[in-house]
Amino acid sequence: MAVRDVKMTAEEFRLLKSEKPCELINGEIVYMSPAPGFLHQKISGDIFFSIKSYIIKHKGRCQVYAAPADVKLSDDTVVQPDIFVTCDPDRIDGQYHNGAPDWVIEILSPSTAGIDLGKKLFLYRSAGVKEYWAIDPDEKKIIVYLFDGSRSNIEFYSFEDSISAGIYRKNEEPLVIRAADFFNE
């Protein structure tokens, strides 16, 4: 991932015509990796399907989106999480999801892990994301960050675990995702 020394606003970024996928982080363009591998896509698809199925089954008002979809965290930061859930559909204006989604999931790769676990983790927490999952397919582990105001809780899971989604834990039937299902290649 290469960073170019250009400061711009989200509005300028929206008008940018780039042939390469990129994000805007603190006013700087960050070029993303080329198309992800098949394991990344399988994990993303399986998790998206689990979340979407849960929302439909429970007639929830939350919505789930997969990359590429722009999330405008601030006037100088636009990111494309692998998956995000928003429970406030009014934040979507046709171009962006404006502000913090409720739940963000990033699937790590060697070229993105540093920014996903560094800058993006900080940005998501600062913007007000309630839950952030960092999934590491190579290590077959999941780190779940739960943010509640000034408090944080970090949970670690292996590929053998079932994970209860934080934003749905208080529901009569919580959303539980079996990590082993999406690590089976």
Side-chain angles (χ1 to χ4, degrees), residues 80-143:
Q80 290 187 354
D82 289 312
I83 300 170
F84 71 90
V85 175
T86 183
C87 297
D88 185 357
D90 292 337
R91 289 181 172 222
I92 298 171
D93 67 9
Q95 179 65 38
Y96 294 123
H97 178 281
N98 293 287
D102 293 274
W103 180 13
V104 172
I105 299 170
E106 294 281 10
I107 301 164
L108 308 180
S109 68
S111 63
T112 64
I115 198 162
D116 289 340
L117 293 171
K119 278 186 183 180
K120 281 182 150 182
L121 171 62
F122 176 78
L123 289 169
Y124 290 142
R125 180 178 181 189
S126 298
V129 168
K130 296 175 185 170
E131 181 171 4
Y132 175 52
W133 287 23
I135 299 174
D136 187 337
D138 293 335
E139 297 294 323
K140 295 190 176 180
K141 67 180 181 180
I142 303 100
I143 305 169

